[in-house]
Amino acid sequence: MPQDSAPQTGESGWGAAQPPRRPEAAYEQTGAMAAQPYEESPRRGDQPPPRSRARQDARTLSNQETLVSDAPRRSRRRGDGEPPEPPGPPTKKGGKGGWRRFVPSWKIVVAGFVVLAAGLFGMVMIAYANTPVPDAEQAKSEALAQQSIIYYRDGKEIAKLGTKREIVPISKMDQTVRDAAVAIENKTFYEDSGISISGMFRALYMTATGQQLQGASTITQQMASNYYDGLNREVSIKRKISEIFVAVKINDKLSKDDILQNYLNTVNFGRAYGVEAAAKAYFGDNATAAKLTPEQGAYLAARIQQPNWEPDAPALKVRWNTTIKYMAEQWPDRYGQLPQTAKWPKLRKDSNENELGGLKGYMVMQVLEELKQRGLTPDEVRSGGYRITSTFDRKLMLAAKEAVQSTTSSMSKEYHAGLAAVNPKNGRVLAFYGGSNYVKDPFNEPFDAKKQAASAFKPYVLAAWLQAGYSLKSYVPGNETVPKEIPGIQKEGIRNSHNVGRSIDVIKATAQSVNTAFVSMAYKLPGQLGDVKNLVESAGFNQERMEADVDEHSFQFAIGSALVTPVEQAAGYSIFANGGKYTKYHVVQEVRQGNQVVYGEQRASKKVVDPAVAADATVAMQEVLRNGTARGQGLGNRPAAGKTGTNNDEKEAWFVGYTPQISAAVGFYREECRTKTKVVQPINASCPTTPGGKPSKKYSAAKPYSRAYEVSLGFEGAGPPTATWRKFMLLAHEGLPIEQFPKKAEVGLPENIVPSPTPTPTPSADNPFDSGDDPLGDQSGNQDCLVGPCDDNATPTDAPTIDDGGDTGFPQTANGDVANGNNGNGNGHGNGGGRLPEPRSTGWTSMARPEDQ
């Protein structure tokens, strides 16, 4: 309060002495404070005012309504100047003193217990009421997981995937296995309410003390734990209580047969889940849950407690005997004599055969990959019980294996071959060869190996040429391109390894795989490379790869610098075999779940070129097998067409060909495994990561012992690739009717890039290509080669020489390496500078070439 303010009522000014005052005076006016205890002790040196007798009595009466404090209290009757009296002891009659005052009365104890029990009971009832009864939609995915089966196109099984389980109704479970399970697992199953009080307390105790999860639960409790989502295998009291609540409710909701059915369909028997799959796993493929002997039923029931027991473990035999004993005790009318007559059942051996071994793994993984792209994950396939019909033909798969292995059997493991065959009418992959054993070598050659197409790419330029309105009768450059300097090509230009003359027609250019002709044809197209690129993308080739190659290699794209796979090539050539239509290649025909088709076949087709274009392109490619680079490799009287391809330095070689029924592609390449000091042989077709493939502290996948380098095959596309293609096609067409190609359509008009050659007299001959005066007459060498002389008319070795896949004309050293302009990226190898193949996705090391290091 400010010092200059006026004193308040009842106050003296600042610094003035306080006059004597009766504290009770203010209180007596209203009586409002009569019962208040004395809270303020007198100040030291002050004399308290005397109290009246009436006031003292009123205060004493008021104190009877207050609690007695344990603290010492000042005497309120003091003589003048005498010290306060000490407090006296409690005077309440019958009161407790000392420690006894902390002991609650029995009434309080009983009341507290009742309240606590009521609270716990209420909590239990609320928890029980709020525990939902799971329905079929909440069943665990793993509880109902069933194996999926993949079939050949004729319905024969390829492989089973996922959990070994087959869901069957209880009517298809033999009575013996039902009785055995009840006898050994829960003898009161048909009478109890879903739980066992003794078993429940035992299980709760074992769980609370941190011991293993008890197996004394009833069948209903086990079914609830195995079957419903949310009741996992976590060891906790909360889970056990939830299991009990669910079991009680399930017992009220489901019949005993329903509970037992779910239980026997989901329980783990060791080799399989569910009684149906377990019957087959232990007693043979012909065994079923519906036809089990008492001994077999007892065997399966005995396995439930410890499914990891060995098939003939001594402890399992003891439990088997116990199961039979309990069966006899519980149902003496059925099994009374069983303990005396029972014999240990005969068990099948577990072959431990890998489901992905051999050729199966390649087929399975390709099916899974396609379904994954359609939204069905591999995990869902393995647990969904799907029935998947593939496009694969078992006979043709074996034919592909036979064709490749018969050709490569004398070669080292450095050689790799991929074969793919497609039905051109619907895009179905009929067969392929990706390797001999998926488990040892999971790299799938025809689907995973991306290599430069070389001259096997030229038919797409031919198709674009015809689609643009130009005809087969057009004359195109032979010895050099027109124009001589083409963007993206070295100034030396592109040449051929053999002399074909200045002018050549399109059919002969195709048959003899003339590089200069096809580069000039691509340059002449209205949209140039854009026309070719758009066509091949419509024919199923990867758009990103095609665009990247055009950007990198320009017009070398026309002679096969792009990276492709054998299956892409087989499907791409289907536009020639199927009247210009393309259907995306696929390996899945149908996916069923039960009786419902959940994924149908994707076989939408589209027109890529006109039928007349496809017919005339086929005419040109038939000449490849009649008189061209693959002369004499046809299919007898069955019409066939195709194209060879050989990359620079013969690092990759191809043959792609077709009939009206099948289009097939074969590609070869070779990888040499090099360490820092030597060349070693591959192990299972892969370069060894450690010496001999043995464990090593020095080497690892990050620091491998050897690396793969792509090297020359030593042969061309007209060699082993064409031979392999021919072997396969002859086997594949056995029993098929002979179908003819459409007749020549004579599409378009001649468009001569160069003038037609001047006719010169030549001796008559049965084969015009045998004439020594014809520029194409010398067939002593294979005209499908790339580097070095192929015949007596070859370009000198010191000049750039290219054919069938071509080269940029980069100068080369004596060992064939590019001498300039490559920067170690391999651009001088493979169709004049195709980029290196991508690393194998299966742990294979980089396929960098020697000059890259």
Side-chain angles (χ1 to χ4, degrees):
M1 180 181 296
Q3 294 183 4
D4 58 349
S5 62
Q8 301 296 316
T9 303
E11 295 181 354
S12 60
W14 293 103
Q18 295 291 333
R21 182 180 180 184
R22 285 183 60 217
E24 296 86 355
Y27 303 146
E28 289 174 349
Q29 299 300 319
T30 62
M33 300 296 292
Q36 297 300 317
Y38 185 79
E39 296 180 355
E40 184 179 48
S41 60
R43 296 180 183 179
R44 183 175 299 177
D46 292 343
Q47 291 296 328
R51 295 178 183 269
S52 67
R53 183 71 179 180
R55 178 63 177 164
Q56 189 72 20
D57 293 340
R59 188 162 185 88
T60 303
L61 292 174
S62 176
N63 284 341
Q64 294 180 4
E65 302 297 327
T66 62
L67 294 176
V68 177
S69 171
D70 291 334
R73 310 182 72 171
R74 293 179 181 272
S75 172
R76 290 189 177 140
R77 299 184 63 184
R78 300 191 299 267
D80 292 339
E82 294 181 0
E85 297 179 1
T91 60
K92 186 176 179 180
K93 186 177 181 179
K96 296 182 179 179
W99 62 269
R100 289 181 297 173
R101 64 177 177 271
F102 295 104
V103 179
S105 69
W106 66 270
K107 296 179 181 180
I108 295 176
V109 172
V110 171
F113 179 79
V114 170
V115 171
L116 179 62
L120 290 176
F121 181 77
M123 292 173 61
V124 170
M125 293 306 297
I126 291 174
Y128 177 80
N130 290 331
T131 300
V133 179
D135 53 28
E137 296 298 324
Q138 295 171 288
K140 288 182 179 179
S141 57
E142 62 268 25
L144 297 180
Q146 298 185 70
Q147 281 187 315
S148 291
I149 304 176
I150 300 177
Y151 301 95
Y152 288 104
R153 66 174 183 166
D154 62 0
K156 293 183 179 178
E157 183 180 308
I158 295 176
K160 292 180 179 178
L161 302 178
T163 305
K164 292 182 178 179
R165 177 187 282 117
E166 297 178 48
I167 305 299
V168 295
I170 197 167
S171 60
K172 292 187 177 180
M173 299 178 188
D174 194 90
Q175 186 68 44
T176 59
V177 71
R178 288 186 269 168
D179 292 344
V182 170
I184 193 64
E185 289 294 318
N186 182 195
K187 66 179 181 179
T188 63
F189 170 70
Y190 289 107
E191 293 81 29
D192 62 38
S193 60
I195 60 172
S196 167
I197 301 300
S198 59
M200 179 181 68
F201 279 106
R202 183 167 60 253
L204 284 172
Y205 172 77
M206 298 291 282
T207 302
T209 55
Q211 302 181 52
Q212 68 178 11
L213 195 65
Q214 260 299 317
S217 301
T218 65
I219 284 177
T220 309
Q221 288 174 261
Q222 292 182 55
M223 188 277 283
S225 180
N226 292 336
Y227 191 81
Y228 292 114
D229 196 16
L231 296 179
N232 54 35
R233 286 296 181 183
E234 176 191 358
V235 179
S236 69
I237 294 178
K238 178 181 177 182
R239 185 201 66 79
K240 191 54 124 174
I241 293 174
S242 296
E243 176 188 297
I244 292 169
F245 288 167
V246 171
V248 173
K249 286 197 170 186
I250 287 174
N251 191 73
D252 292 336
K253 183 178 180 180
L254 301 179
S255 69
K256 291 293 185 179
D257 280 351
D258 288 339
I259 294 172
L260 190 59
Q261 173 182 292
N262 289 341
Y263 175 71
L264 291 176
N265 272 324
T266 58
V267 72
N268 183 7
F269 288 97
R271 289 181 183 174
Y273 285 79
V275 66
E276 179 74 6
K280 291 180 171 61
Y282 289 105
F283 309 125
D285 292 335
N286 296 326
T288 65
K291 298 179 180 179
L292 293 175
T293 65
E295 291 88 348
Q296 291 173 333
Y299 177 86
L300 295 181
R303 295 197 63 88
I304 294 174
Q305 186 186 57
Q306 294 290 338
N308 293 327
W309 271 333
E310 291 297 321
D312 56 354
L316 176 59
K317 291 184 177 181
V318 172
R319 190 165 178 82
W320 175 75
N321 283 319
T322 302
T323 303
I324 290 176
K325 175 185 176 183
Y326 287 179
M327 291 170 67
E329 292 176 353
Q330 193 153 352
W331 295 284
D333 55 328
R334 300 178 193 168
Y335 312 110
Q337 299 302 316
L338 187 59
Q340 291 77 35
T341 62
K343 294 182 179 180
W344 183 254
K346 184 179 180 181
L347 305 175
R348 74 178 300 180
K349 293 182 179 180
D350 188 6
S351 62
N352 292 320
E353 179 184 1
N354 193 308
E355 293 291 348
L356 299 181
L359 300 180
K360 292 189 296 184
Y362 299 104
M363 291 185 279
V364 167
M365 298 310 294
Q366 210 52 50
V367 166
L368 292 178
E369 178 61 27
E370 182 169 310
L371 291 177
K372 180 181 178 181
Q373 294 174 2
R374 297 182 64 181
L376 188 63
T377 67
D379 286 342
E380 290 172 329
V381 172
R382 289 186 171 93
S383 63
Y386 295 100
R387 300 297 180 263
I388 304 166
T389 302
S390 73
T391 61
F392 305 130
D393 184 292
R394 185 174 183 274
K395 172 188 171 184
L396 301 188
M397 286 294 298
L398 295 177
K401 177 182 177 181
E402 169 64 22
V404 174
Q405 291 187 349
S406 64
T407 303
T408 59
S409 59
S410 60
M411 301 178 183
S412 75
K413 293 181 180 180
E414 295 176 344
Y415 290 82
H416 302 273
L419 182 154
V422 174
N423 184 333
K425 298 176 182 178
N426 52 33
R428 294 175 180 172
V429 178
L430 300 174
F432 66 92
Y433 179 80
S436 60
N437 191 332
Y438 177 84
V439 174
K440 294 181 178 180
D441 178 23
F443 191 80
N444 193 336
E445 297 289 352
F447 289 89
D448 299 335
K450 302 174 181 67
K451 301 296 179 182
Q452 290 178 322
S455 287
F457 200 76
K458 291 175 181 175
Y460 304 113
V461 179
L462 172 62
W465 175 265
L466 297 172
Q467 188 69 24
Y470 308 143
S471 77
L472 293 174
K473 295 180 180 179
S474 304
Y475 282 90
V476 292
N479 288 339
E480 64 180 16
T481 61
V482 174
K484 185 174 182 180
E485 293 185 5
I486 292 180
I489 305 298
Q490 292 282 0
K491 63 180 182 179
E492 292 88 353
I494 288 180
R495 299 182 183 178
N496 308 301
S497 60
H498 56 288
N499 181 15
V500 297
R502 180 173 179 272
S503 179
I504 189 172
D505 67 55
V506 172
I507 293 179
K508 292 179 181 178
T510 303
Q512 298 301 316
S513 194
V514 180
N515 296 315
T516 53
F518 281 89
V519 171
S520 300
M521 290 164 65
Y523 188 84
K524 182 65 176 179
L525 291 171
Q528 295 190 328
L529 288 180
D531 290 349
V532 182
K533 185 179 75 70
N534 292 337
L535 188 148
V536 296
E537 288 174 0
S538 297
F541 289 92
N542 181 272
Q543 181 178 0
E544 292 183 1
R545 273 189 267 130
M546 299 304 106
E547 290 179 349
D549 194 77
V550 169
D551 292 342
E552 183 177 356
H553 298 125
S554 190
F555 277 87
Q556 297 169 60
F557 180 74
I559 52 176
S561 59
L563 301 177
V564 300
T565 64
V567 71
E568 285 177 328
Q569 280 285 63
Y573 271 48
S574 66
I575 67 172
F576 306 115
N578 191 37
K581 293 181 180 180
Y582 170 78
T583 304
K584 179 175 174 58
Y585 69 86
H586 55 281
V587 300
V588 176
Q589 280 187 230
E590 181 182 84
V591 180
R592 286 181 175 268
Q593 196 173 40
N595 295 324
Q596 183 179 3
V597 177
V598 292
Y599 289 89
E601 185 174 10
Q602 290 185 330
R603 50 181 295 183
S605 62
K606 60 182 177 181
K607 176 183 174 182
V608 177
V609 295
D610 295 333
V613 169
D616 280 5
T618 296
V619 169
M621 282 187 279
Q622 283 182 286
E623 286 301 309
V624 174
L625 290 165
R626 290 173 179 169
N627 301 297
T629 53
R631 182 176 57 179
Q633 296 295 311
L635 305 179
N637 62 345
R638 186 182 295 275
K643 185 70 186 74
T644 55
T646 310
N647 203 346
N648 192 47
D649 292 342
E650 299 176 348
K651 287 185 176 180
E652 292 143 20
W654 294 83
F655 189 84
V656 187
Y658 58 94
T659 67
Q661 294 112 313
I662 300 175
S663 175
V666 177
F668 275 73
Y669 65 96
R670 181 183 178 188
E671 287 180 339
E672 191 174 80
C673 301
R674 300 178 185 175
T675 68
K676 292 182 178 180
T677 58
K678 60 182 178 179
V679 174
V680 296
Q681 283 298 301
I683 298 177
N684 296 323
S686 299
C687 290
T689 302
T690 60
K694 298 178 181 179
S696 171
K697 295 182 179 179
K698 183 177 180 181
Y699 299 101
S700 64
K703 185 182 177 182
Y705 169 67
S706 66
R707 296 179 182 272
Y709 295 81
E710 195 167 356
V711 297
S712 176
L713 287 161
F715 54 74
E716 300 168 344
T722 302
T724 302
W725 175 87
R726 185 173 185 270
K727 289 177 184 178
F728 169 76
M729 293 294 272
L730 289 173
L731 291 171
H733 284 83
E734 288 181 354
L736 295 181
I738 294 177
E739 293 186 16
Q740 301 295 327
F741 289 125
K743 293 181 180 181
K744 186 178 181 181
E746 301 284 357
V747 68
L749 298 173
E751 178 66 26
N752 296 336
I753 300 177
V754 294
S756 62
T758 302
T760 57
T762 57
S764 60
D766 293 336
N767 186 349
F769 294 98
D770 290 338
S771 172
D773 297 330
D774 193 298
L776 300 177
D778 191 347
Q779 301 292 329
S780 60
N782 192 308
Q783 306 304 310
D784 198 41
C785 66
L786 294 182
V787 293
C790 293
D791 55 28
D792 296 337
N793 295 323
T795 307
T797 56
D798 59 349
T801 56
I802 310 149
D803 188 27
D804 192 36
D807 202 335
T808 58
F810 295 146
Q812 297 181 351
T813 62
N815 63 2
D817 290 340
V818 175
N820 65 329
N822 292 327
N823 299 321
N825 62 5
N827 285 346
H829 293 265
N831 293 344
R835 61 185 177 182
L836 293 177
E838 298 177 6
R840 298 168 72 108
S841 60
T842 56
W844 286 50
T845 54
S846 171
M847 292 186 284
R849 296 171 182 168
E851 61 269 21
D852 298 335
Q853 301 304 306

